[in-house]
Amino acid sequence: MRVLLQITRRNFPHHGRRFLSCKGAAAFSTQTKEIGAKANSQPLPSSTHNFESRFPGTATGTGCINEVDKLISNHEKVLLIADAAGFEPCGAAKYFTKHSEKVIQKLYSGKALPLEEVEEVYADIVQTPDIDKVTSIIAVGGGTAMDLAKIIAIALTNKSNCVDDILIDHKKGNSFELIFLPTTVGTGSEATSFAVVYKNKVKMSVDHPTIIPQKVILDPKLVESLPEPVVAATVLDALAHATESAWARKTTSESRSYSSESIKLIVSHLEPGTPNRLEAFQLASHLSGKAINISRTTLCHSMSYPMSALFGVPHGIACCLTLSKVAALNFASKEEDLGGLPLSHIQESFELLFAAYGVGSISELTKKITSILETLGVKTSLSDFGILKDDLPSIADKALTKGRSDNNPRKVSPDDVMEILVEVC
């Protein structure tokens, strides 16, 4: 593992900030007469208004990456954790060259976060000269880099002997200023209080309010170099976040407003070549992250973890492979299926989803979800990813995870999971 890289000095102009107004995100509509009107012509939300929220500031718009200069200047040393494959191509690397005396740089080349690799990264970092002078941690990359930064932040704050310690004690928080620059269009990790790591191929989470970044930079330039398959896989994660958040047991009017806006942005910018497409996806990802930070995810995410861990299905795709089936299952719920939730919870959830997706019925919604995958060039069955029917029990065995499957509005059994997997295979 390489911890330090030589960085050269270069000057860059400073641009003014623009801010995404999260309070201004459109409130969800439950009027089915409005179905399709906004979904087909959703403009980008204004990025010029301040907002008061859990985050002090989320800078948006081309050039906002120049905020890096000011943010780094506030610290004696910063730790930079970045995705090794994307750091140079996305254009972010050059913005850190003038700060070589302040930046301790760590590039991570993994595609997920198995605990043994995270332990190795942490061991390298704690042995780095001047690591005790670091007061801010910057993450540049997708969900893996951002989740890694969160985990390292908690471990360093608590001077943990190993990362496994913080998986045991969930009360441990973070004292570093976190500055995140997402370079994909799906995970929304820059807006959440949790991070995922895999221990023995089983998904584990850290969850603490102190790992919500204080600063977020959403510069469209950072996602311009993304290959289309990566765009598809990551924006599908955002779509799953927003959709699951709408029906989650923990959903609120605030999280639903973020869900609605996120879905509308995605479905109205699906086709390559659509103006502002990647910026729309970037904002949608952030909004869906804010949604699940309140509501958490549900059954689709729970079922996705073993698909990714055992068979390498990209996370966002794994979530959406079951999205239409879980939607149909939840829509068909009776009050006795809901574990104490009123039936109005389902009615309100799907009124929102019908309006956001621009459809008028559950059959249209499931067809719309399938068509979105096809439009993005994504296969829609497990067998397309090398998963056979004989493999399904191994997925089903690990598909019900605490905090995800039990957050689904409809209570589900292992038989329900197996039935969904068979239908998708």
Side-chain angles (χ1 to χ4, degrees):
M1 295 285 182
R2 296 182 179 89
V3 177
L4 292 170
L5 297 181
Q6 185 64 38
I7 304 177
T8 57
R9 182 175 294 273
R10 184 181 292 177
N11 291 314
F12 295 91
H14 177 73
H15 290 235
R17 280 184 293 184
R18 295 192 293 156
F19 290 90
L20 166 65
S21 174
C22 289
K23 281 191 173 178
F28 75 92
S29 170
T30 60
Q31 302 300 314
T32 55
K33 66 182 181 181
E34 296 180 2
I35 286 173
K38 292 185 179 180
N40 293 326
S41 59
Q42 181 66 17
L44 289 179
S46 171
S47 59
T48 59
H49 302 292
N50 295 332
F51 69 95
E52 295 293 330
S53 184
R54 192 174 299 181
F55 308 118
T58 299
T60 69
T62 301
C64 69
I65 192 174
N66 289 284
E67 280 291 302
V68 165
D69 279 356
K70 180 180 178 181
L71 295 171
I72 292 178
S73 70
N74 294 329
H75 301 277
E76 181 179 1
K77 292 285 182 181
V78 301
L79 172 63
L80 170 65
I81 295 176
D83 171 59
F87 190 46
E88 291 282 350
C90 78
K94 63 184 180 182
Y95 290 91
F96 294 90
T97 58
K98 67 184 295 183
H99 302 290
S100 59
E101 75 286 355
K102 287 194 171 190
V103 175
I104 297 172
Q105 183 166 292
K106 176 68 182 179
L107 301 182
Y108 180 69
S109 58
K111 299 301 181 185
L113 290 176
L115 180 59
E116 58 271 19
E117 290 186 12
V118 178
E119 295 285 17
E120 185 178 349
V121 172
Y122 179 61
D124 284 345
I125 289 174
V126 295
Q127 295 173 18
T128 303
D130 291 335
I131 194 65
D132 59 325
K133 297 179 181 178
V134 167
T135 51
S136 177
I137 298 177
I138 300 175
V140 179
T144 299
M146 291 188 282
D147 280 8
L148 178 60
K150 293 177 179 181
I151 292 165
I152 296 299
I154 294 178
L156 285 177
T157 294
N158 294 279
K159 303 186 186 303
S160 301
N161 292 323
C162 62
V163 171
D164 200 24
D165 288 349
I166 70 171
L167 300 179
I168 297 169
D169 184 355
H170 293 171
K171 294 181 180 179
K172 292 182 176 179
N174 158 57
S175 64
F176 295 93
E177 180 184 49
L178 300 182
I179 303 166
F180 282 13
L181 291 73
T183 62
T184 63
V185 291
T187 69
S189 182
E190 78 281 357
T192 70
S193 65
F194 43 87
V196 172
V197 64
Y198 287 88
K199 184 176 182 179
N200 299 322
K201 294 190 175 182
V202 176
K203 173 247 173 193
M204 308 282 287
S205 291
V206 295
D207 191 339
H208 200 279
T210 59
I211 55 174
I212 299 174
Q214 287 82 3
K215 300 289 183 182
V216 176
I217 294 176
L218 300 175
D219 194 320
K221 287 289 185 182
L222 294 176
V223 297
E224 284 183 352
S225 66
L226 285 178
E228 188 59 29
V230 178
V231 172
T234 54
V235 79
L236 286 175
D237 194 18
L239 186 69
H241 287 161
T243 305
E244 292 180 70
S245 179
W247 64 49
R249 300 184 76 84
K250 295 180 181 178
T251 195
T252 67
S253 59
E254 181 183 0
S255 65
R256 279 176 166 166
S257 73
Y258 298 144
S259 293
S260 176
E261 183 73 3
S262 177
I263 294 168
K264 289 175 183 177
L265 282 168
I266 293 169
V267 300
S268 60
H269 292 83
L270 286 172
E271 295 287 348
T274 303
N276 302 314
R277 180 176 183 246
L278 292 179
E279 184 174 4
F281 287 173
Q282 195 178 46
L283 298 179
S285 173
H286 187 70
L287 290 166
S288 68
K290 289 181 72 64
I292 63 168
N293 192 53
I294 297 169
S295 69
R296 302 304 192 261
T297 54
T298 67
L299 182 59
C300 300
H301 265 70
S302 186
M303 293 178 68
S304 79
Y305 298 130
M307 293 183 205
S308 299
L310 300 176
F311 299 98
V313 182
H315 172 68
I317 294 174
C319 293
C320 280
L321 287 175
T322 63
L323 190 61
S324 64
K325 303 299 182 184
V326 175
L329 180 72
N330 287 336
F331 183 82
S333 299
K334 299 177 181 178
E335 194 149 8
E336 56 265 31
D337 300 322
L338 299 177
L341 283 178
L343 196 57
S344 60
H345 181 95
I346 295 296
Q347 295 166 342
E348 292 168 1
S349 299
F350 282 91
E351 284 174 353
L352 178 150
L353 290 172
F354 290 172
Y357 275 94
V359 300
S361 68
I362 187 60
S363 63
E364 289 180 11
L365 176 60
T366 59
K367 289 176 183 177
K368 181 76 171 184
I369 292 170
T370 299
S371 74
I372 288 172
L373 271 69
E374 293 171 345
T375 298
L376 293 171
V378 174
K379 302 294 185 181
T380 59
S381 69
L382 292 174
S383 60
D384 292 319
F385 297 90
I387 299 175
L388 307 177
K389 286 191 176 181
D390 288 346
D391 298 319
L392 300 185
S394 64
I395 297 175
D397 184 56
K398 295 180 172 62
L400 297 178
T401 57
K402 185 177 180 181
R404 299 297 182 266
S405 58
D406 56 0
N407 191 38
N408 197 65
R410 178 170 179 153
K411 296 300 183 181
V412 291
S413 68
D415 287 343
D416 293 326
V417 169
M418 196 65 186
E419 183 176 342
I420 291 170
L421 291 172
V422 169
E423 290 178 358
V424 178
C425 192

